[in-house]
Amino acid sequence: MFKQTKFDLPQSKLPTAWYNIQADLPVPLPPQYNPVTKELLAPADLEPLFARKLIEQEVSKERYIDIPGEVLDKYKLWRPTTLHRALALEEYLGTPARIYYKYEGMNAAGSHKPNSAIPQVYYNKKEGISRLTTETGAGQWGSSLAMACAFFGLECKVYMVAASYKQKPHRKTMMETWGAQCVSSPSQDTQIGRNILATDPDCGGSLGLAISEALEDALNRNDTHYTLGSVLNHVILHQSIIGLESMEQLKIAGEEGADIVIGCAGGGSNLGGICVPYVKQKLEGRNIRIIAVEPAAAPSLTKGKYTYDYGDVAGLTPIMKMYTLGHTFMPAPVHAGGLRFHGMAPIISHLRHLDLIEALAVNQNNTFKAGVIFAGTEGIISAPESMHAIHAAIEEANKCKESKEEKVILFNLSGHGHFDMSAYQQYLNGSLEKYEYSCDEVEKSLQELPLVKE
Amino acid sequence: MFKQTKFDLPQSKLPTAWYNIQADLPVPLPPQYNPVTKELLAPADLEPLFARKLIEQEVSKERYIDIPGEVLDKYKLWRPTTLHRALALEEYLGTPARIYYKYEGMNAAGSHKPNSAIPQVYYNKKEGISRLTTETGAGQWGSSLAMACAFFGLECKVYMVAASYKQKPHRKTMMETWGAQCVSSPSQDTQIGRNILATDPDCGGSLGLAISEALEDALNRNDTHYTLGSVLNHVILHQSIIGLESMEQLKIAGEEGADIVIGCAGGGSNLGGICVPYVKQKLEGRNIRIIAVEPAAAPSLTKGKYTYDYGDVAGLTPIMKMYTLGHTFMPAPVHAGGLRFHGMAPIISHLRHLDLIEALAVNQNNTFKAGVIFAGTEGIISAPESMHAIHAAIEEANKCKESKEEKVILFNLSGHGHFDMSAYQQYLNGSLEKYEYSCDEVEKSLQELPLVKE
């Protein structure tokens, strides 16, 4: 019997508007504060850093926001992405669950990140900006911004977390192929970088630190803005295209919807992207579980505190209410570099606080075990970040085996692992470190929070 | 105006039979000879090496051969592959031509090679074989066989050309992730490997030499067969799915057909796969140009001789009539490792000899130039092999600009270059070597040909 396993949405059905969860939140997002004055944040405070259109999107309550034609033209290079039924994995597990994965690794940059890189570059170009800076963990976001800058002809400088820079040198070449500049963070190119290197020349860096460097660079030049690949509301807005497409594709697959929606969570962009339309369904009364899967080395949702903190180490970002391990917390150098972040997107944090999503922390050995099972069944060599979602999907499918329930499990396979083979090598050699978080360090870094009154 | 650029064939339209060009050749393929006796080759001569079903396919004249359901089930993990309209590249070039590319890099192994790996593993398993050997150049074929063996539960040993093994260590990890063993060729594991290493410990290897090692290994064990990812008729049969799908997709794109069909050519599998259905159309009277693009370092079709030669260095393969530079010719270590072969598929050679396809040789600097233009427009970081096809497509599109002709150019983008970033780095640094072939060496290696009377 012919069983379809690949569900492609025709390009003519590509969503032409993003979905904004802020329109439907039962409780609005808490306000943000200026990092210097600690007063309520005004949109103008962000103008030295971000395009005005992005600042508008950050606070918008419009339910649907049109995607500009020039952005759609670039999305069309690879979108809509495929929804796969993981039939081979289901057979391997012997589960009655039907497992689907939305594969966001099938574009040139290798992950879901270009979904936001392209509009961010587009809006900045339209407002006369000619150069962008950013940070990158595993290299997925930096590659995506580099590619988007190549498409629109902007200069691009990427601060890449030192630990990942060493693990994945080819990510730098990829960015350079698209004409960008990529340096290891902490770097000698910023004051905060030089300060850290002076006391710790071998510092492995972190996302929070690299954000500080990229912000400092952007603040020092008039032609330059800063971009962020996760955390912010407008990023999750752009990423909503993943969830919107997946809903149409589940219909094509003959499903009424999803029972469980899973995504890995570092800053929250890929989970946010796939889950927000399902959160809307949940608010409308549909029974859906949404699961955020984070690394045991940076377990903000499961072990952090829901309070006011900076998004970066140096305290240059707005003060946001989020689940955080404290902005001075330096996560262990797990291979899932994209998840090495002390905080969590305010939207995801808010949804967790409202009990609309669940959270789970997994150590990296367990995620690689899931990744190798996935490679042997579905073929795909996934990114260490995405393995967190695979792990949870397998766990839920195994529960369905116990309970004999035919649940529909949907997860976001956020990227491929082609630049993470040294991590696979360590796992296969048995030399992968487990890396869990340190209670003491978290306690210390949480001491100075909240930064403003709750 | 909405212009579609991504043409996905619904999975229900996945071809269920391969197309066999042998059914339609105006002149049959020349016979092959036993490498030892130099008598006409009998199918039984191949039984120690290949599954009987594959030997049947090698000589079959059936026009369409059904794809087994178990093979279709695995194809469905990523097939049908997408046909893209290269609108961004067209705009960059300012050409009136419409350029399409069939992208075969969007599966886990990263190239078109799994199209043949999966049926080869399947047929061998069905005939009781539990272990397979093979060679690999750039690692694309070895990865594909490793993945297919993981799917069907067979052991797999891959001899990887030493030059590529050094350039792309992560390919080995990828194969190991799928449970295969991968060694550098020449290796200490075979007699021919040990002999070569004794005289040249730093030998960079070649596809021909790695084939000899994999053959020797398979001949020494009863549980083991050999597999080849290119050259042979059954491989081109399996790859015909690329061309078949592309024809349906061009229809969806509103095109009557292709005017020019382009593929890179080393052993001939990806060119053969995309072109054979178009050769049929050409034989039926349609005006189509088909272009094979080979590296200047191994220009068998453009500088070789159409005569009888071995497919490997040690003389273990059947003696085949093909365009060859001589089986002792060792191509320079260009990054397009998958094209470093002294010969060419008998089918492609025959089509070239009958003037049904054209050939072009390009040096690697020019191919990388094309690859970087492609990355900046279409985004995709392509394999060095595939850049040969991109280069020719750009040249033809530029000719259309001169002549103001709206031709339809179709090329096969055979794989991604995620494991070739060190090559990109060399190109960006300006340290890439040009590597052209040496007339003297070819003259020397051609001296002992033909091996049997023409």
Side-chain angles (χ1 to χ4, degrees), chain A residues 3 6 76 80 173 425, chain B residues 3 5-6 76 80 173 425:
Chain A
K3 271 198 190 171
K6 189 168 171 275
K76 281 162 49 191
T173 303
Q425 191 63 66
Chain B
K3 271 197 189 171
T5 57
K6 188 166 171 277
K76 279 162 49 191
T173 303
Q425 191 62 66

Side-chain angles (χ1 to χ4, degrees), chain A residues 259-276:
Chain A
D259 299 310
I260 303 174
V261 177
I262 299 168
C264 63
S269 73
N270 102 76
L271 171 70
I274 196 158
C275 86
V276 283

Side-chain angles (χ1 to χ4, degrees), chain B residues 142-291:
Chain B
S143 301
S144 302
L145 191 73
M147 181 175 80
C149 281
F151 290 160
F152 291 104
L154 272 72
E155 269 188 77
C156 178
K157 177 153 182 188
V158 179
Y159 294 86
M160 183 167 182
V161 176
S164 295
Y165 188 90
K166 274 178 214 149
Q167 282 163 359
K168 304 165 202 194
H170 294 328
R171 276 283 175 192
K172 172 175 181 277
T173 303
M174 198 173 198
M175 296 180 223
E176 289 173 353
T177 300
W178 285 311
Q181 190 193 351
C182 171
V183 294
S184 176
S185 166
S187 77
Q188 295 291 352
D189 298 359
T190 66
Q191 194 54 53
I192 170 89
R194 288 187 292 270
N195 291 349
I196 299 253
L197 287 173
T199 58
D200 181 6
D202 298 322
C203 176
S206 74
L207 273 177
L209 173 54
I211 292 172
S212 299
E213 290 204 84
L215 281 169
E216 183 187 319
D217 179 328
L219 287 168
N220 280 338
R221 285 178 61 160
N222 281 334
D223 62 349
T224 301
H225 269 171
Y226 166 74
T227 62
L228 188 60
S230 191
V231 180
L232 301 181
N233 304 341
H234 66 263
V235 176
I236 291 179
L237 172 76
H238 302 153
Q239 295 293 354
S240 69
I241 194 164
I242 303 172
L244 294 171
E245 285 181 6
S246 75
M247 277 188 166
E248 293 305 311
Q249 289 166 308
L250 282 175
K251 278 184 215 159
I252 295 173
E255 303 291 358
E256 278 177 33
D259 298 310
I260 303 174
V261 177
I262 298 168
C264 64
S269 72
N270 102 77
L271 171 69
I274 196 158
C275 87
V276 285
Y278 295 93
V279 171
K280 180 167 185 281
Q281 285 191 334
K282 186 164 180 163
L283 290 167
E284 288 161 1
R286 212 186 133 81
N287 186 15
I288 308 178
R289 288 174 57 208
I290 298 166
I291 307 175

Side-chain angles (χ1 to χ4, degrees), chain A residues 335-348:
Chain A
H335 288 285
L339 308 182
R340 292 183 67 234
F341 183 57
H342 67 273
M344 181 56 66
I347 285 179
I348 299 294

Side-chain angles (χ1 to χ4, degrees), chain B residues 42 178 230 250 294 301 329 350:
Chain B
W178 285 311
S230 191
L250 282 175
E294 53 186 14
L301 285 170
F329 177 79
H350 190 64

Side-chain angles (χ1 to χ4, degrees), chain A residues 173-201:
Chain A
T173 303
M174 199 174 196
M175 296 180 224
E176 289 173 352
T177 299
W178 285 311
Q181 192 194 349
C182 171
V183 294
S184 176
S185 167
S187 77
Q188 294 291 352
D189 298 0
T190 66
Q191 193 55 53
I192 169 90
R194 287 188 292 271
N195 290 351
I196 299 251
L197 287 174
T199 58
D200 180 7

